[in-house]
Amino acid sequence: METSTNEVISEVKKLRQYVSSKKLKIESILVTSDIFRIDDRSSNQFENPQRVNVDWIYKLIAPVVCSAIGVSRIEKLYGDEGGFNSLRWKIFSMLELPIEGASWASVYDAVEPEVLSSVLDGKFDKKLVLGFELSPSLIQYFEDNEIPYIDLTIHPVRFLPDYMFGIRTNVSEWENKIKSQSLPESLMYDFARVSSARTARIMRGKLPVEESALFLGQLTVDASLISNGSMMDDEYLAESLMRLSSAYPKVYFKSHPHCKNQNERKKLVSKIKNCEWIDVNIYDALACEQFSLVTAISSGGVIEAKYFGCNASWMSDKKNVFDLSKESEMSVYWPIYNDSMKSEFWGCVLNDSSLVHIARDLPNPFEGALKFNINMKWGR
């Protein structure tokens, strides 16, 4: 039986493509993000909405990375520089795509290699790319061309005292050190246990229907909603809720706290049989043990639900880039707590020394846990 070229390429790309730090000749740091992102809600769709994150990482992380790797120059790349001559404009023009959100969705996961090469080749020579939420299409381009990158995102586990970065890279030696410095999953389970115990004390009134399903809402525009070249919209949301409502006695819809179209979402939910809007703290919902399923299109809350012992899964076919068991198949984000902002951390990761580990700055799940659980105050 013959194997097609596409099947061969697909099989090869199941394995990660790494570059060794010993092959690198880095002369500058280039801070960038998803250069193709477009937000239809913006008054200026030519401007990359990720500019704010590029400026943020440039100030917070780039200086310590620059010092650790021993270079003096830091550059920025928004992708919209030059207007009609910008990188993003050239790509969309070559693909005959208008400047709109649907076009961003179509190039988010994959772009023909020859199209990217014709525009991007030479732009990253002797540079270390320091990215924030780089798109899969850019990640593939960097890996195919052995361009070193470090990519950051806000990790979806957010019930710890502080938020944390997820960090990934295609430099094998660096990834091994980042992995060794990552937050142990055991701490996430401990924090979830402490939070769940508080829920047992305070969530004592009327509870959701047993064996029901909890659906976690999301923002209307987000990279996590892109699948197969298009944005999963409210129509997809409604179809998902209807499928669930036929399988469970009740489906509870928990809205995203920063969703700005709450009234429209409430109308959508009210039209679906057995579906009900619920206003409850997300971590109390995950801990109340009333739901047979916690689900969403692709919400990070489903990733958090694992640590609360919930049966949880996405309804979309998105790849979970936070699933560390898939590290050999794709570029995954390793959870790094406050160390990610420290020069000692980056000195350990980026230097070709025998130092493979430093003392980690880890949160204590039991500090203040009793006061948090009792939820009462005496004296001071």
Side-chain angles (χ1 to χ4, degrees):
M1 179 178 176
E2 293 186 1
T3 303
S4 71
T5 302
N6 288 338
E7 288 173 335
V8 171
I9 292 174
S10 177
E11 185 66 28
V12 169
K13 288 189 176 180
K14 288 180 182 178
L15 301 176
R16 291 291 312 282
Q17 296 165 279
Y18 288 100
V19 60
S20 171
S21 63
K22 296 178 176 59
K23 296 175 60 178
L24 301 180
K25 294 181 180 180
I26 296 171
E27 296 181 356
S28 64
I29 308 296
L30 181 68
V31 184
T32 190
S33 187
D34 181 355
I35 61 175
F36 305 126
R37 182 160 185 157
I38 299 170
D39 190 339
D40 289 336
R41 300 168 298 182
S42 173
S43 59
N44 182 4
Q45 294 178 17
F46 286 91
E47 183 176 284
N48 189 344
Q50 288 284 44
R51 273 178 167 260
V52 62
N53 288 318
V54 172
D55 292 342
W56 173 48
I57 297 302
Y58 179 87
K59 290 288 188 181
L60 183 65
I61 304 296
V64 288
V65 170
C66 191
S67 176
I69 210 162
V71 298
S72 58
R73 191 164 77 252
I74 309 175
E75 307 167 45
K76 297 180 188 177
L77 177 67
Y78 301 118
D80 59 12
E81 298 91 340
F84 291 110
N85 198 39
S86 67
L87 297 181
R88 59 204 257 126
W89 178 264
K90 288 179 180 178
I91 293 289
F92 290 132
S93 295
M94 289 181 68
L95 297 172
E96 299 182 346
L97 295 171
I99 303 298
E100 62 183 24
S103 299
W104 166 49
S106 71
V107 302
Y108 179 76
D109 284 315
V111 181
E112 291 88 339
E114 60 273 14
V115 173
L116 284 182
S117 293
S118 67
V119 176
L120 300 183
D121 281 3
K123 300 292 190 297
F124 305 97
D125 290 351
K126 297 182 180 179
K127 293 178 173 60
L128 166 60
V129 176
L130 181 60
F132 183 80
E133 295 183 349
L134 296 172
S135 67
S137 56
L138 283 174
I139 289 291
Q140 191 63 60
Y141 173 79
F142 294 145
E143 294 194 351
D144 287 345
N145 293 278
E146 296 189 335
I147 296 168
Y149 69 80
I150 295 171
D151 186 35
L152 300 96
T153 189
I154 304 300
H155 197 278
V157 170
R158 296 168 188 174
F159 51 82
L160 277 59
D162 197 0
Y163 303 136
M164 61 182 168
F165 281 116
I167 305 179
R168 59 182 177 175
T169 181
N170 63 332
V171 181
S172 54
E173 295 89 346
W174 299 352
E175 182 177 72
N176 289 335
K177 292 183 180 181
I178 291 171
K179 180 179 179 179
S180 74
Q181 295 294 131
S182 63
L183 184 79
E185 272 202 312
S186 60
L187 285 183
M188 300 185 201
Y189 282 106
D190 283 338
F191 273 105
R193 175 164 58 90
V194 170
S195 181
S196 297
R198 175 186 167 100
T199 298
R201 288 184 59 87
I202 67 174
M203 200 168 176
R204 307 297 298 180
K206 183 180 178 181
L207 296 174
V209 174
E210 285 190 52
E211 305 299 316
S212 55
L214 176 66
F215 191 99
L216 304 179
Q218 295 174 244
L219 300 174
T220 53
V221 178
D222 192 80
S224 67
L225 291 172
I226 296 175
S227 179
N228 299 317
S230 62
M231 188 79 68
M232 292 175 280
D233 55 14
D234 279 358
E235 182 178 349
Y236 186 96
L237 170 62
E239 291 173 356
S240 299
L241 290 173
M242 285 188 284
R243 289 201 304 272
L244 287 172
S245 67
S246 65
Y248 292 88
K250 179 76 74 174
V251 177
Y252 293 92
F253 183 88
K254 164 71 177 140
S255 181
H256 190 286
H258 300 301
C259 182
K260 295 181 179 180
N261 63 337
Q262 300 278 17
N263 291 334
E264 289 84 351
R265 287 284 167 88
K266 285 183 178 179
K267 289 179 183 177
L268 185 153
V269 169
S270 68
K271 295 176 181 178
I272 298 174
K273 183 181 179 181
N274 295 333
C275 193
E276 181 178 316
W277 189 276
I278 186 171
D279 287 313
V280 64
N281 179 277
I282 177 62
Y283 302 120
D284 288 332
L286 297 181
C288 73
E289 299 183 343
Q290 297 295 107
F291 303 112
S292 292
L293 175 69
V294 175
T295 189
I297 295 176
S298 55
S299 168
V302 169
I303 295 172
E304 293 182 294
K306 162 188 172 180
Y307 301 104
F308 289 80
C310 301
N311 173 35
S313 62
W314 285 341
M315 298 198 73
S316 71
D317 59 358
K318 290 283 290 185
K319 291 182 179 179
N320 181 1
V321 290
F322 301 96
D323 184 351
L324 303 182
S325 69
K326 298 290 193 297
E327 61 173 306
S328 64
E329 301 173 20
M330 61 182 176
S331 188
V332 298
Y333 289 106
W334 296 93
I336 303 293
Y337 206 59
N338 293 338
D339 288 325
S340 60
M341 293 175 276
K342 297 180 179 179
S343 58
E344 294 87 352
F345 169 80
W346 291 108
C348 170
V349 169
L350 300 177
N351 286 328
D352 289 329
S353 68
S354 58
L355 180 64
V356 296
H357 192 80
I358 60 172
R360 288 177 291 183
D361 183 357
L362 299 176
N364 181 354
F366 310 116
E367 184 176 350
L370 191 55
K371 183 179 286 188
F372 175 69
N373 264 226
I374 297 299
N375 197 35
M376 297 175 67
K377 186 175 181 180
W378 291 283
R380 295 183 188 275

